[in-house]
Amino acid sequence: MYLSAGRVADAAGGVRRRVPLRSVARNIAPNVVALGAVSLITDVSSEMVTAVLPLYLVAGLGLSPLAFGFLDGLYGGASAFVRLAGGHLADRRTGHKAVAGFGYALSALVKPVFLVATSVPGIGAALVADRVGKGVRTAPRDALISLSSPPDAQGRAFGVHRAMDTAGALLGPLVAFGVLSAASQRYDPVFMVSFCFAVLGVVVLVLFVQDRKGTATASVRATLAVLRRPAFARVCAASLLLATTTVSDAFVYLLLQKMADVPVRYFPLLPVGTAASYLLLAVPLGIAADRLGRRRVFLAGHAVLLLVCALLLTPLGGTVLLVASLALHGAFYAATDGVLMALAGPMLPAGTRAGGLAVLQTGQATAALGCSVAFGAAWTWWGPHTALLAASGALAVAGLAAFALLTNRKAVA
């Protein structure tokens, strides 16, 4: 499908020259594929838990939307500041693979805790530990992808990785649904199978991923100094604004379940729709980002998320609302997740790339925590419709501000 000649982006994400797209395909490094396999297996494990958790907490334990918003924000934001530590350690002689491996192992070891944690504090502690593992590994992993790929194929490399990662996200809820059905809707077997997949992911990382050692001179000051780079600082500011107004996945699925009248037993399958769309679009949008400019695709992705919010505010229901919302939700992730890393990575020196990406990801995770708590509070006090209306307005304003930041003359395409 993508066989015609196309323009290839330079290291900063702008258009540089025309080359056959077949030649770009050969630039996907084996390390990227190996890391994709690790992410695929690990995401099966993670998404098994994520798929059942919202319903378990709200319907099973009877949490209010405000309490759930706090836990959901904790789940997304607990990894925020450990990302900085993980990125900094990876940039030093510790190495990217060792730090990422520690993060994957920590997330694997915490999975059995869900078997015995029955209270909100216990589940919260397990969620924090799991997300700490994710926070530690994310920046070193993305730095490995970036360092293993040529500048003109960053979007494609991240697209391939995110496609494999999303294949795991697609399979995870399906496995959870199958295990729940076989186990008469008991959650313990879900957590045990999730643990087994997580351990397998660590094994694949150890055996097949090649390391990139950091430098002994990498320092905290050097890591934080990346914010003095105007183009990178603008990318960080734009992503922070947008993350502050992005409704979390869990709330999107709870809204869809309510508005499309999805039977409770099918709730774990809702993330499958998002994952399927993401899987289909990750590589094409990664290619588009390399050809057309990564910032353009990134901004367009948030416009798509605004469409999801608009759909949820309409009187539509049933299959039309369900299919359209999940398809657009997946398109949002395909246009933003890996594309943002592909945009930011080449702006950073190799010696501080993991730490610099960690700075960016920390801002996003912190903003996500605040957004989840605020949206949960708004839902509790005003109801879901008013809360979503307010979030949509905030996202529109943030999108305009991000557009101004990223299209500034000093920003990079």
Side-chain angles (χ1 to χ4, degrees):
M1 181 175 178
Y2 304 101
L3 301 181
S4 61
R7 292 176 294 174
V8 176
D10 61 19
V15 173
R16 185 177 67 181
R17 59 188 177 85
R18 295 180 67 88
V19 298
L21 291 180
R22 280 176 176 169
S23 68
V24 180
R26 293 194 292 269
N27 289 331
I28 302 303
N31 226 27
V32 174
V33 178
L35 286 163
V38 173
S39 292
L40 188 158
I41 296 166
T42 303
D43 245 36
V44 172
S45 169
S46 298
E47 294 302 321
M48 287 182 67
V49 175
T50 301
V52 302
L53 206 58
L55 194 63
Y56 175 61
L57 293 175
V58 174
L61 298 184
L63 294 188
S64 69
L66 175 58
F68 175 72
F70 175 75
L71 278 182
D72 184 58
L74 193 65
Y75 187 62
S79 63
F81 296 104
V82 297
R83 292 173 189 254
L84 293 173
H88 174 65
L89 286 173
D91 282 334
R92 296 181 67 84
R93 290 202 183 278
T94 307
H96 298 77
K97 178 178 176 178
V99 177
F102 173 79
Y104 280 110
L106 178 60
S107 292
L109 291 174
V110 79
K111 291 297 190 297
V113 175
F114 288 106
L115 294 169
V116 296
T118 56
S119 66
V120 172
I123 292 173
L127 290 176
V128 168
D130 180 62
R131 293 299 92 178
V132 165
K134 180 176 177 60
V136 168
R137 70 181 183 251
T138 300
R141 180 204 66 198
D142 285 347
L144 271 174
I145 296 169
S146 184
L147 291 168
S148 299
S149 307
D152 60 0
Q154 294 278 313
R156 176 178 284 253
F158 277 98
V160 168
H161 173 268
R162 294 312 198 255
M164 297 180 72
D165 181 89
T166 306
L170 180 68
L171 292 171
L174 293 174
V175 175
F177 180 75
V179 172
L180 279 173
S181 299
S184 302
Q185 303 302 308
R186 289 186 297 112
Y187 290 93
D188 287 359
V190 174
F191 300 133
M192 183 53 66
V193 175
S194 172
F195 169 68
C196 294
F197 273 102
V199 171
L200 178 60
V202 175
V203 171
V204 173
L205 175 78
V206 171
L207 294 179
F208 297 106
V209 173
Q210 299 299 312
D211 201 4
R212 292 291 297 267
K213 290 290 184 181
T215 62
T217 57
S219 66
V220 174
R221 180 176 295 181
T223 297
L224 296 179
V226 298
L227 291 173
R228 297 176 187 169
R229 296 171 172 265
F232 181 71
R234 288 178 180 278
V235 169
C236 287
S239 66
L240 182 66
L241 280 171
L242 292 167
T244 303
T245 55
T246 297
V247 179
S248 74
D249 297 358
F251 278 121
V252 169
Y253 299 142
L254 286 171
L255 286 165
L256 269 177
Q257 191 271 333
K258 177 183 177 66
M259 299 178 66
D261 198 25
V262 177
V264 169
R265 67 181 181 277
Y266 293 124
F267 183 87
L269 296 180
L270 292 180
V272 174
T274 296
S277 175
Y278 190 176
L279 178 62
L280 291 173
L281 295 174
V283 174
L285 288 180
I287 295 171
D290 282 339
R291 296 178 62 188
L292 304 175
R294 292 159 197 164
R295 66 177 175 85
R296 296 182 180 90
V297 175
F298 177 69
L299 290 169
H302 285 86
V304 170
L305 179 62
L306 194 57
L307 285 178
V308 175
C309 295
L311 278 175
L312 291 172
L313 289 168
T314 66
L316 283 174
T319 304
V320 174
L321 176 64
L322 191 64
V323 172
S325 297
L326 292 177
L328 290 172
H329 197 227
F332 156 67
Y333 275 111
T336 57
D337 185 19
V339 171
L340 178 60
M341 296 301 105
L343 170 63
M347 296 177 178
L348 302 167
T352 58
R353 190 160 300 182
L357 292 179
V359 169
L360 173 59
Q361 293 163 357
T362 296
Q364 284 189 301
T366 305
L369 169 59
C371 183
S372 285
V373 174
F375 189 84
W379 185 333
T380 300
W381 297 331
W382 304 333
H385 187 273
T386 304
L388 186 58
L389 188 62
S392 300
L395 178 58
V397 172
L400 291 174
F403 179 82
L405 282 168
L406 294 180
T407 56
N408 182 279
R409 196 177 304 176
K410 294 181 180 180
V412 182

